[in-house]
Amino acid sequence: EPEVTQTPSHQVTQMGQEVILRCVPISNHLYFYWYRQILGQKVEFLVSFYNNEISEKSEIFDDQFSVERPDGSNFTLKIRSTKLEDSAMYFCASRVPNEQFFGPGTRLTVL
Amino acid sequence: GESVGLHLPTLSVQEGDNSIINCAYSNSASDYFIWYKQESGKGPQFIIDIRSNMDKRQGQRVTVLLNKTVKHLSLQIAATQPGDSAVYFCAENLSGDSNYQLIWGAGTKLIIKP
């Protein structure tokens, strides 16, 4: 069964460093998403991506964040200068009409 | 602001009994609702969805009920099993939002007692 994959599963970084979280969406999907979930809290929408551009973004997705689809398979989330409050699980998702499929997440720990 | 929320943070149910997880939403423009299951250490997993033109939808062992009058959504799990232990999130999609931006509730942790 096709699935969304994410790497790494856990990323530890120092405050101020750049991180890139990687996702491989399901191959025939056209819509891609990033969400984050701070430990014990609800899932929060970050950004949606379609046709090689951002469709929508939340207020969380400020200038420190960027997304790319550098090739036909990968979808990345970059945080330029990480802050302590960026520590969270980051989930990538892709979708077909009426159903999103989520990856297993990357746990980002900012020290 | 408008948001989706859950009534109870934790629900403890005897194995074999039915579980009912509730969700309140405040945006009357929402037209599509989804229940997700999140097991420990994993990403959310789609369970069942319902559109606003329906009030009930059934899946395998699960039923979602939608009451638009009081803006209430519930997930019923029949004959709860240990594998049902997880956090359950409801999410809503705003009407006309073609980008499928979901607004998530806070989650209810379902605990199964043996």
Side-chain angles (χ1 to χ4, degrees), chain B residues 16-48:
Chain B
D17 287 353
N18 296 336
S19 301
I20 300 176
I21 301 171
N22 295 305
C23 178
Y25 67 94
S26 57
N27 193 331
S28 56
S30 295
D31 67 350
Y32 182 59
F33 304 87
I34 306 163
W35 280 101
Y36 285 94
K37 173 185 181 183
Q38 187 177 26
E39 295 175 275
S40 180
K42 297 184 179 180
Q45 179 185 5
F46 174 93
I47 302 174
I48 192 167

Side-chain angles (χ1 to χ4, degrees), chain A residues 71-96:
Chain A
D71 52 43
S73 60
N74 290 286
F75 180 50
T76 62
L77 175 69
K78 181 192 290 187
I79 309 176
R80 288 188 184 81
S81 178
T82 50
K83 302 185 287 287
L84 294 177
E85 54 264 38
D86 293 327
S87 294
M89 283 290 289
Y90 288 80
F91 293 105
C92 172
S94 65
R95 81 167 173 99
V96 289

Side-chain angles (χ1 to χ4, degrees), chain A residues 3 6-7 10 13-14 16 30-31 36 43 53-54 63 67 69 72 78-79 81-83 85-87 90 102 104:
Chain A
E3 58 183 14
Q6 290 185 244
T7 54
H10 191 190
T13 190
Q14 295 290 325
L30 301 178
Y31 297 85
R36 80 171 186 192
V43 177
E53 61 182 21
I54 291 173
D63 292 344
V67 289
R69 189 154 162 82
K78 181 192 290 187
I79 309 176
S81 178
T82 50
K83 302 185 287 287
E85 54 264 38
D86 293 327
S87 294
Y90 288 80
F102 285 78

Side-chain angles (χ1 to χ4, degrees), chain A residues 5-41:
Chain A
T5 60
Q6 290 185 244
T7 54
S9 58
H10 191 190
Q11 174 88 48
V12 181
T13 190
Q14 295 290 325
M15 188 171 58
Q17 295 297 304
E18 174 184 286
V19 294
I20 298 176
L21 309 183
R22 302 180 192 280
C23 170
V24 179
I26 296 173
S27 62
N28 61 337
H29 289 191
L30 301 178
Y31 297 85
F32 313 111
Y33 305 82
W34 282 101
Y35 292 84
R36 80 171 186 192
Q37 184 180 31
I38 295 171
L39 185 63
Q41 299 186 22

Side-chain angles (χ1 to χ4, degrees), chain B residues 29 31 93-100:
Chain B
D31 67 350
N93 189 34
L94 299 179
S95 179
D97 182 357
S98 61
N99 290 313
Y100 204 76

